[in-house]
Amino acid sequence: MAADEFSLIERCVLSLAPRPDPDVLLGPGDDAALLASCGSDWLCATTDALVEGIHIPPGTPPEAIGHRALAINLSDLAAMGARPRFALLALTMPQGDARYLDRLFHGLLQLAQRYGVSLVGGNLSRGPCNATITALGSAEAHGTLLRSGARAGDLLAVTGTLGDAHLGRLLLPHSSPQHNDPALRFLKRRYLYPEPRVQEGLALRHLAHAAIDLSDGLIQDCGHLCKASGLAAVICAERLPRSRAFESRADQEQWLRLPLAGGDDYELLLAIAPCHWPQAATALGGSTAPLTLIGRLEAGSGVHVDYQGKPFSLPSSGYNHFEGT
Amino acid sequence: MAADEFSLIERCVLSLAPRPDPDVLLGPGDDAALLASCGSDWLCATTDALVEGIHIPPGTPPEAIGHRALAINLSDLAAMGARPRFALLALTMPQGDARYLDRLFHGLLQLAQRYGVSLVGGNLSRGPCNATITALGSAEAHGTLLRSGARAGDLLAVTGTLGDAHLGRLLLPHSSPQHNDPALRFLKRRYLYPEPRVQEGLALRHLAHAAIDLSDGLIQDCGHLCKASGLAAVICAERLPRSRAFESRADQEQWLRLPLAGGDDYELLLAIAPCHWPQAATALGGSTAPLTLIGRLEAGSGVHVDYQGKPFSLPSSGYNHFEGT
């Protein structure tokens, strides 16, 4: 099905119309959107691209592309302890396929609705498939979670479970025979439809010293937090939270490696003072992504992993877009 | 030259450091940027992608890609009468080429500096060359220029000259023998380095009823303004402002067609009440892109062009990304 740019844009604008947001003075359809200011809060802004064939395999369902493009940005806001409010989408796709676009918007808007995010603007053009979202949120002045706020002695904790998404990605081609296998479905869903930890970030913004979201693998992202805070991390590999589905499908090597270096988890890694730990654990008591203690921060530098009581190192520590180019 | 993602990102972050902006509480380097709110103003947000091979020919100098990616977004803010403040860049490129990136950032940051725009965040990943900018500005509540604000009887005016950019694009391959031809240089520059009409939009925000920026060609973009305002436009083809360089290089057919339907002008089209016309013309008296009266708005619909006293129509009316797919 082919359609011209303006009818495609109108289609999307109309699909957005039913949910009025009093903070959106002017939504899609003009040269730019007009939005209510954050008042005394800070504006929190992030942008991230999702490129088919690079970040997600060719042939991924368009619903998953729409969901994931927004989720990875909301995850960044969550890691700041910010409340998501608005999103803009710059979409390039090879053909003007209205059905594809409807499905992509369906995935995106379902997630947006769940977190009270209004899609306020966008741009559609021809080109290799690329969905770039900019997410805007509000952050309490003095209630934000920076990478640089951690202190020596802080505990390290993560939300949810690690390694699921990477294993789900590896298992993507295995669809037909085990289609009804719930573990396989769970793992694939963790890869295709990551859940941004927005509520968790908000609940912990006054309790944690620092946070980062895990997109490139625990060791690599923990390394960014350590570097920004000028500290060293010690992580206990046995303690990393693994889902039942992960435990049932991972081989021995994957069991150890994927939670440390798998990437695509989109869980939060937090630095929390020991005195705040009980309160933080309780704050996420009702969450589907509760906190697990995985290590501690101390003076020094680098990320050190203990496994079976001994120092442990992996050959590769995460995903780097330009590695080997 | 190859470099990994983090060293490329660090390189860019460092290149941004020297110009501190008190409204940027936290710039690039964390999960998201933290920005001062607009106070009582509205936040004005827009996003637009620049794809090499689609929006700009392969082999375009990286400085021009950086400049143009930002310029087309600032042009959208200008058409709202907004003051640009911040920008975020999501860049995908096939290889981690630090020299290319430096040149792209040079083009982008030179323009950003000229308009007081802080680059506050970004993302770099592998993929087909795509530079997507999100620009954020502040707009006076009740002092914004919407497409829908025009009234019957308003005059239509444009800033600067039309057709230069499209002719420059057509002449891009003609480089070596006439390299020092100032007309050729001017026209190419108008295509590769469009100047967003930010000051002009600000100067006219209380004088004009409506505005749109010209990216897809006058007839097409004027059609959007007419549709949003529920009016018809009558444009006088002889009155369209043409530069001396354009006059010297355009053939007869181009002379008529390109200012009407050429695209890539990034001038502003404004609807102005006759009683405000003298003041508006004076307001841009010192600008390098003064106002020219090109027609009027009346009851009805559609864009009607007069040429030599008779109705005139072009076979095609502008650029549509998905035309013919």
Side-chain angles (χ1 to χ4, degrees):
Chain A
M1 188 167 11
D4 78 25
E5 186 189 2
F6 298 110
S7 69
L8 285 175
I9 290 175
E10 271 180 16
R11 196 185 179 90
C12 302
V13 169
L14 285 176
S15 80
L16 305 179
R19 300 187 52 80
D21 176 340
D23 286 340
V24 180
L25 290 318
L26 184 73
D30 212 299
D31 293 297
L34 290 175
L35 311 169
S37 151
C38 299
S40 62
D41 282 355
W42 289 339
L43 178 68
C44 190
T46 185
T47 190
D48 223 335
L50 187 69
V51 183
E52 197 176 357
I54 303 285
H55 302 106
I56 202 156
T60 297
E63 291 87 350
I65 292 180
H67 174 103
R68 205 164 197 280
L70 181 59
I72 60 179
N73 280 282
L74 297 189
S75 180
D76 278 326
L77 295 187
M80 300 293 291
R83 185 181 301 281
R85 296 179 64 192
F86 313 113
L88 298 101
L89 168 68
L91 181 67
T92 63
M93 47 191 260
Q95 283 150 343
D97 181 337
R99 171 83 187 121
Y100 183 95
L101 206 62
D102 276 353
R103 293 178 58 193
L104 187 147
F105 269 82
H106 183 73
L108 194 158
L109 293 173
Q110 275 217 328
L111 181 66
Q113 193 173 328
R114 211 137 38 80
Y115 289 103
V117 173
S118 294
L119 189 66
V120 297
N123 173 260
L124 178 65
S125 61
R126 199 155 44 91
C129 189
N130 177 319
T132 297
I133 290 268
T134 299
L136 304 174
S138 62
E140 277 182 12
H142 314 295
T144 52
L145 296 168
L146 309 192
R147 295 181 181 181
S148 55
R151 300 175 203 172
D154 279 354
L155 303 174
L156 277 173
V158 291
T159 58
T161 54
L162 303 182
D164 299 332
H166 195 105
L167 188 55
R169 181 178 188 161
L170 295 174
L171 294 171
L172 270 189
H174 303 272
S175 58
S176 345
Q178 301 142 313
H179 191 63
N180 288 319
D181 176 344
L184 190 62
R185 273 215 313 279
F186 171 85
L187 295 169
K188 285 183 186 178
R189 199 172 164 78
R190 289 277 284 157
Y191 173 63
L192 292 173
Y193 297 90
E195 193 65 33
R197 301 308 184 190
V198 171
Q199 297 310 330
E200 291 75 8
L202 287 168
L204 298 175
R205 65 182 158 169
H206 296 297
L207 292 169
H209 283 150
I212 187 170
D213 73 321
L214 300 178
S215 54
D216 296 329
L218 173 63
I219 293 180
Q220 191 158 299
D221 290 320
C222 185
H224 298 319
L225 188 143
C226 286
K227 194 175 172 192
S229 293
L231 294 171
V234 181
I235 288 173
C236 177
E238 289 99 328
R239 287 207 181 193
L240 300 182
R242 293 161 175 94
S243 68
R244 265 187 291 183
F246 180 87
E247 298 270 9
S248 76
R249 301 297 300 231
D251 64 27
Q252 209 175 349
E253 188 270 343
Q254 290 169 331
W255 186 90
L256 187 55
R257 182 172 54 88
L258 298 189
L260 284 168
D264 291 318
D265 286 317
Y266 295 104
E267 298 293 346
L268 299 182
L269 172 70
L270 301 123
I272 301 170
C275 62
H276 286 136
W277 171 252
Q279 209 182 335
T282 306
L284 297 202
S287 162
T288 52
L291 276 183
T292 302
L293 197 58
I294 63 161
R296 65 182 188 281
L297 290 163
E298 52 190 41
S301 66
V303 178
H304 309 275
V305 179
D306 279 346
Y307 179 53
Q308 298 181 329
K310 291 177 198 155
F312 173 82
S313 66
L314 284 171
S316 164
S317 64
Y319 184 75
N320 184 312
H321 285 289
F322 291 111
E323 205 167 40
T325 60
Chain B
M1 188 168 12
D4 78 24
E5 186 190 2
F6 298 108
S7 68
L8 285 174
I9 290 174
E10 270 180 18
R11 197 185 178 88
C12 302
V13 168
L14 285 177
S15 79
L16 305 178
R19 299 187 51 79
D21 176 342
D23 286 340
V24 180
L25 290 318
L26 184 73
D30 211 300
D31 293 297
L34 290 174
L35 311 169
S37 152
C38 299
S40 62
D41 282 355
W42 289 339
L43 179 67
C44 190
T46 187
T47 189
D48 224 334
L50 187 71
V51 183
E52 195 175 1
I54 303 286
H55 303 105
I56 201 154
T60 297
E63 291 87 351
I65 292 181
H67 174 105
R68 206 165 197 277
L70 180 60
I72 61 179
N73 280 282
L74 297 189
S75 180
D76 278 325
L77 295 187
M80 301 294 290
R83 183 180 303 281
R85 296 180 63 193
F86 313 114
L88 298 100
L89 167 69
L91 180 67
T92 63
M93 48 190 260
Q95 284 151 341
D97 180 338
R99 172 82 186 121
Y100 183 95
L101 207 63
D102 275 352
R103 293 178 58 192
L104 187 147
F105 269 82
H106 184 73
L108 195 158
L109 293 173
Q110 276 216 328
L111 181 66
Q113 193 174 331
R114 213 137 36 81
Y115 289 103
V117 173
S118 294
L119 188 65
V120 297
N123 173 261
L124 177 66
S125 61
R126 199 155 45 92
C129 189
N130 176 319
T132 297
I133 290 269
T134 298
L136 304 173
S138 62
E140 277 183 11
H142 314 297
T144 53
L145 296 169
L146 309 191
R147 295 180 181 182
S148 55
R151 300 175 204 172
D154 279 354
L155 303 174
L156 277 173
V158 290
T159 58
T161 53
L162 303 182
D164 300 331
H166 195 103
L167 188 56
R169 181 179 188 160
L170 296 174
L171 295 172
L172 270 189
H174 302 273
S175 58
S176 346
Q178 299 142 313
H179 190 64
N180 288 319
D181 177 344
L184 190 63
R185 273 214 314 277
F186 172 85
L187 295 169
K188 286 184 186 178
R189 198 172 166 78
R190 289 277 284 157
Y191 173 63
L192 292 174
Y193 296 91
E195 193 66 33
R197 300 308 184 190
V198 170
Q199 297 310 329
E200 291 76 9
L202 287 168
L204 297 175
R205 65 183 159 169
H206 296 296
L207 292 169
H209 283 151
I212 187 170
D213 73 321
L214 300 179
S215 53
D216 296 330
L218 173 63
I219 292 181
Q220 189 158 297
D221 290 319
C222 185
H224 298 317
L225 188 145
C226 286
K227 194 175 171 192
S229 292
L231 294 171
V234 181
I235 287 172
C236 177
E238 290 98 330
R239 288 208 181 193
L240 300 183
R242 294 161 174 93
S243 67
R244 265 187 290 182
F246 179 86
E247 299 270 7
S248 75
R249 303 296 299 232
D251 64 28
Q252 211 176 345
E253 188 271 341
Q254 290 170 332
W255 186 89
L256 188 56
R257 181 172 55 87
L258 298 189
L260 283 168
D264 291 317
D265 286 317
Y266 295 104
E267 297 294 345
L268 298 182
L269 172 70
L270 301 124
I272 301 170
C275 63
H276 287 135
W277 170 253
Q279 208 182 334
T282 306
L284 297 202
S287 162
T288 52
L291 276 183
T292 303
L293 197 59
I294 63 161
R296 64 183 189 279
L297 290 162
E298 53 189 42
S301 67
V303 178
H304 309 276
V305 178
D306 280 346
Y307 179 53
Q308 297 182 331
K310 291 177 196 157
F312 172 82
S313 68
L314 283 172
S316 165
S317 63
Y319 184 75
N320 184 310
H321 285 291
F322 291 113
E323 206 167 37
T325 60

